[in-house]
Amino acid sequence: MQYREYGKTGKMIAALGFGAMRLPKDEDYAVEIMQRYLELGGNLIDTARAYGESERIVGRAIQGRREQVYISTKNHGVQQSPDIWKQYMDQSLETLAVDRIDFYHVHDLRWDVYAEHFRKKGGPFDMVQQAQDEGLIDHLCFSSHDSPENIIKLIDEGIFDGILVQYNMLDRIPGEGGHGAGTGNEPAIAHAAEKGLGVLIMGPLAGGRLTQMPPDRVEKLLPGKVKSIADLGLRFVLANPDVTSPLSGMNELQQVDENCATASRQEPLTEQENAQIRAAVQANEKLAELYCTGCNYCQPCPQGVAIPKIFEAMNYHRLWGLTEHAKGLYRQLGPDNKEGLMDATACVECGECEEKCPQNLPIIQQLKESHEALASP
Ligand SMILES: NC(=O)c1ccc[n+]([C@@H]2O[C@H](COP(=O)([O-])OP(=O)(O)OC[C@H]3O[C@@H](n4cnc5c(N)ncnc54)[C@H](OP(=O)(O)O)[C@@H]3O)[C@@H](O)[C@H]2O)c1
Ligand code: SF4
Ligand code: SF4
């Protein structure tokens, strides 16, 4: 296993963290795979109070091994009072059966909530200092899906020791696949490293979407050198020297073995391989922009047609071969959609959207093509 220093904390973290957000249903097996991860040199498990039974099961997995592992968990009471915030923290400590949390994250922090509530007098931050003084929290960190610009503002507040953000080779554009996702977060990651913060990555395999890519598409990214897409996706993230550790959601022993082997390589990607894969990713990005940049200028459509979402799904299908994922996204649209987002069949061809599209896309025609490609089961 390779290790990297978490910011300026002096703590050496495995180049692969265990993400315990979606654990296997069989609890004993979940414990077994976390313990295998620790046996292979892993030393960071990430959970959250909001992940159902996860903290309790992590607590079981680390029993008798506490000194071997750093625990990261999260408090989602960001809009609550200091007392509730403290209550959540005490519950995490109890459920995990530990007396200290190494990396304590403000869960899903946004700049506006930070400024308007978290940091204000009477907000949860009032409790943080006390918890640190009592030795209950080692490092205050935050996870965020906010824009890279806002993540940078949060870093500059100077109260956090680390960040947890999305970063992967699939979602290039900030906002795609979750706000501030993908490589769009690179400026925030670089800024965090420059300021001496640790950087953990959520969704390094795009939440498993990357692993659905057909082998021929994967092979095109780095011809002759791809062991598996999981290997390539993790190496892509690790090739960024500003990243401390990607948190991988692993559901099988074999995934743990494979991903730990990847994180044990001396050099994640050579400079040439990195350039090659970036060029392939950028070529796809350029093609994606030819189809739709996701700028939203065509919205709202008077019929509620979710044009950018439909074209985003179409890009997953057309550019990455992620057809099942694309069909799943498309199926969420239509009369049953809670936000009123309609699929392509709702289009009455009024032409309003085409007048507003800066790319001059033949939207009406492309909607028909998208429906044809994505509507079948
Ligand atoms: N703070 C936040 O808001 C937040 C949000 C999201 C995530 N996180 C953290 O980040 C962690 C990782 O997120 P994630 O689970 O979305 O990310 P991920 O690691 O990108 O995706 C996990 C999926 O990748 C697949 N996978 C992993 N290794 C594989 C391998 N060797 N071969 C084939 N498939 C493999 C598995 O898919 P299958 O299930 O299909 O096997 C697994 O479910 C979470 O567990 C959590 O700790 C935090
Ligand atoms: S042409 Fe179709 S998609 Fe475009 S605005 Fe009119 S109804 Fe909506
Ligand atoms: S205006 Fe054009 S490029 Fe922008 S989201 Fe709509 S279709 Fe896509």
Side-chain angles (χ1 to χ4, degrees), residues 298 300-305 307 346-354 363-364 367:
C298 55
C301 152
Q303 305 301 320
V305 179
I307 304 165
C347 172
V348 296
E349 304 190 16
C350 69
E352 237 183 70
C353 54
E354 292 192 355
I363 295 178
I364 298 171
L367 283 174

Side-chain angles (χ1 to χ4, degrees), residues 309 329 331-342:
K309 283 209 182 309
L329 290 177
R331 270 197 298 274
Q332 290 168 15
L333 308 174
D336 294 337
N337 183 285
K338 285 192 188 111
E339 292 165 55
L341 301 173
M342 302 300 285

Side-chain angles (χ1 to χ4, degrees), residues 111-237:
W111 171 254
D112 52 359
V113 175
Y114 172 87
E116 284 156 26
H117 186 75
F118 182 81
R119 190 69 162 91
K120 280 223 165 128
K121 200 158 173 44
F125 186 70
D126 289 357
M127 196 47 82
V128 170
Q129 188 71 52
Q130 189 186 320
Q132 282 183 319
D133 290 346
E134 288 172 10
L136 303 176
I137 304 173
D138 236 358
H139 301 288
L140 182 70
C141 314
F142 68 92
S143 72
S144 185
H145 296 272
D146 206 346
S147 66
E149 297 74 28
N150 283 344
I151 292 173
I152 287 172
K153 277 159 69 176
L154 288 167
I155 292 167
D156 284 342
E157 286 292 292
I159 64 166
F160 298 106
D161 292 337
I163 68 171
L164 168 54
V165 294
Q166 277 187 310
Y167 180 51
N168 61 66
M169 63 188 230
L170 182 61
D171 301 314
R172 287 282 305 170
I173 305 162
E176 198 179 318
H179 307 287
T183 48
N185 268 336
E186 272 172 1
I189 290 170
H191 191 71
E194 197 192 323
K195 295 278 175 179
L197 274 70
V199 177
L200 300 180
I201 300 302
M202 61 173 101
L205 301 178
R209 278 177 292 146
L210 261 179
T211 56
Q212 295 166 21
M213 207 186 288
D216 59 321
R217 303 279 181 134
V218 178
E219 177 60 22
K220 268 192 208 152
L221 290 170
L222 203 58
K225 294 189 179 147
V226 180
K227 218 165 73 190
S228 73
I229 184 62
D231 177 63
L232 186 64
L234 288 173
R235 283 161 69 205
F236 176 82
V237 171

